[in-house]
Structure formats: structure tokens, C-alpha cells
Amino acid sequence: MSGAGAPKTTEAVDGRGLKVVIVAGTWHELITDGLIAGATRTLEAAGADYSLVRVPGSFELPVVSKAALEAGADAVVALGVIIRGGTPHFEYVSSAATDGLTRVALDTGKPVGFGVLTLDDEAQGIDRAGLPGSREDKGEEAAHAALATAVALRELRA
């Protein structure tokens, strides 16, 4: 895990008037709950309206994210945890989630904050989940990216 060169998410983003949906998988509850907590803290601090939708896993993130954006959300924060196992399943799910969420953003013209952790082991996830003692908060980062992009798009379209 590098972390080097990461942008500072401490700069406040004015999210007032933005509707954001957090779409989160249910696998690896401790890590996922940490990601959700970081995202909600960020959205609350920005003054954005938000809701949470849970899906079975990371594979389901794209379709539900697309539905949320088509239903009127200004942005989505997609959160999931995929841990490498002994089969190619990791590569398939990681690729499907990443490619699907990219397609959702491009097809809808709305931002998807990417908070899907692709990990070799659980310890890496705990270190990125914004938990006490974690070195990173990927939930916060994904929410900040979604908000900042939604604000940039709003300014461009004004």
C-alpha cells in the first residue's frame, strides 16, 4: 500500500443541494462498516443529502449504482471489499465491479466515488477502512471524490 501522492480530503466541499447514494456490499462487515462510516462522515460534513443501500456483494454495485443515478441521485459512493482467494473468482469480480462502475459513470454522466477495495488479505482492508489505527480511510476518499466531481459537473453545466 503506497498512500504516497494521495490528495488531501480535508478541504471542505460544499455538498448542499446534492443527493448522494452510498451503495455498499455486505461482505467483510468490519471493513465495509468502516468504509460506510468514513463516507457518511464526509457527506454529513459537506451538507449533502444521502442514503444508504446495501447489496449482496461488489458484483452487484454497478447495477444498483446505475439505478440510483437514474432515479435522480447526483452521485453514488460505491463501497465494497474483495479479498483474493485461491481461485480466479477475485479477478472476475474485481474486473466486473471496476468496469461496471466506470461504465455507469460514463453512461449516466454522473460521478461514482470508487471505494471498492481489492485486497490480498483482511489486514490490508482493516488498514484502509478508516477504523481506529487504520492508515487510510477509503470510504472518506471515495465520498470526497464523488462530491468534488459532482460539484465540478454542476459548475460546468451551469
Side-chain angles (χ1 to χ4, degrees), residues 30-117:
L30 174 67
I31 299 167
T32 304
D33 287 351
L35 295 172
I36 292 168
T40 58
R41 277 192 309 273
T42 301
L43 296 172
E44 287 173 359
D49 292 326
Y50 70 92
S51 59
L52 172 65
V53 177
R54 299 301 294 260
V55 297
S58 294
F59 189 82
E60 293 77 23
L61 291 171
V63 70
V64 175
S65 294
K66 185 172 190 245
L69 293 169
E70 288 176 342
D74 297 301
V76 162
V77 180
L79 305 174
V81 179
I82 309 167
I83 298 179
R84 186 180 307 278
T87 68
H89 184 260
F90 172 86
E91 282 80 12
Y92 296 131
V93 174
S94 298
S95 179
T98 302
D99 294 347
L101 291 169
T102 300
R103 182 174 151 201
V104 167
L106 294 173
D107 288 353
T108 63
K110 295 180 180 182
V112 176
F114 188 79
V116 179
L117 303 185

Side-chain angles (χ1 to χ4, degrees), residues 13-19 43-49 74 147 151 154:
V13 175
D14 183 358
R16 291 176 293 178
L18 292 176
K19 180 180 175 188
L43 296 172
E44 287 173 359
D49 292 326
D74 297 301
L147 285 170
V151 168
R154 180 171 57 189

Side-chain angles (χ1 to χ4, degrees), residues 104-131:
V104 167
L106 294 173
D107 288 353
T108 63
K110 295 180 180 182
V112 176
F114 188 79
V116 179
L117 303 185
T118 53
L119 310 164
D120 289 322
D121 55 49
E122 186 178 47
Q124 289 177 339
I126 291 170
D127 204 31
R128 292 176 171 95
L131 300 167

